[in-house]
Amino acid sequence: MKIFKFGGASVKDANGVKNVLDVMQKVGHENVLVIISAMGKTTNAFEEVIKNYFEKSPALQSSIQEVKKYHNQILLDLFDDEDHDAFYAVNSHFEDLEYFIRSNKSPNYNFVYDQIVSFGELLSTTIVSEYLNDVGITNSWRDARELVITDAIFRDASVNWGETEKRIKTKIDTSKITLVQGFIAGDLNGNTTTLGREGSDFTAGIFAYCLDAESLTIW
């Protein structure tokens, strides 16, 4: 088993996503699990969304639209057909984001931060997974929030190693290529948590340990 991790700068645009494909074609993609960060400066962009949300700023919707526009451009650069499943999958994440913003009642900044900022990784992995599938590299997209289990300390969660190892070992099919998000995790109540800023490298280490990987490469 090999673990590959691609950071945000590696997938900041369509060319970056195509480079992920190029890397996998050159080095091989048998028994590989790929961890991907949010694209480019998406985490910063979502922090602006969170700021506008708490300040009840009229700029809230425009800040969400900026994130949408950025990801939509990457989709347009990767896929010829705007009716491709990738567009619907990405739009579904934005619908979930907007539902959370409408329905959330918690005043806890750290809780809200994790629920919103995590969409960066959900979007990036969805786009890369759809692209790889489209060019013939069939892969399984998995939600890290159901695999990396932590306590409920938002923005700086500690890993529940026993539960995490059990889930990763039983839920990851090591015979297939798997795509999973870095940085984000989940608690036992089903809430999203995060592992601290720049936590994707830690995620890669968690999966490498739990799967007894022979190597972990930070691309």
Side-chain angles (χ1 to χ4, degrees), residues 148 150 155-157 159 183-185 193-197 199 202-203 206:
V148 181
T150 69
R155 297 190 72 189
D156 191 22
V159 177
F183 175 56
I184 72 174
T193 60
T194 61
L195 303 173
R197 210 63 153 81
F202 183 28
T203 302
I206 292 167

Side-chain angles (χ1 to χ4, degrees), residues 21 25 29 130-139 177:
L21 169 65
Q25 287 176 329
H29 43 76
E130 291 282 356
Y131 177 70
L132 292 177
N133 278 328
D134 202 55
V135 297
I137 297 185
T138 305
N139 64 87
I177 303 166

Side-chain angles (χ1 to χ4, degrees), residues 104-165:
N104 174 60
K105 300 290 190 292
S106 173
N108 182 331
Y109 179 90
N110 290 341
F111 169 79
V112 172
Y113 181 99
D114 279 1
Q115 310 319 299
I116 291 179
V117 83
S118 58
F119 281 97
E121 280 71 19
L122 296 172
L123 290 164
S124 64
T125 50
T126 296
I127 291 172
V128 175
S129 174
E130 291 282 356
Y131 177 70
L132 292 177
N133 278 328
D134 202 55
V135 297
I137 297 185
T138 305
N139 64 87
S140 173
W141 184 95
R142 299 306 304 265
D143 191 333
R145 299 172 298 178
E146 298 172 0
L147 299 167
V148 181
I149 305 304
T150 69
D151 60 16
I153 306 299
F154 300 102
R155 297 190 72 189
D156 191 22
S158 295
V159 177
N160 177 332
W161 286 99
E163 186 64 25
T164 296
E165 188 168 7

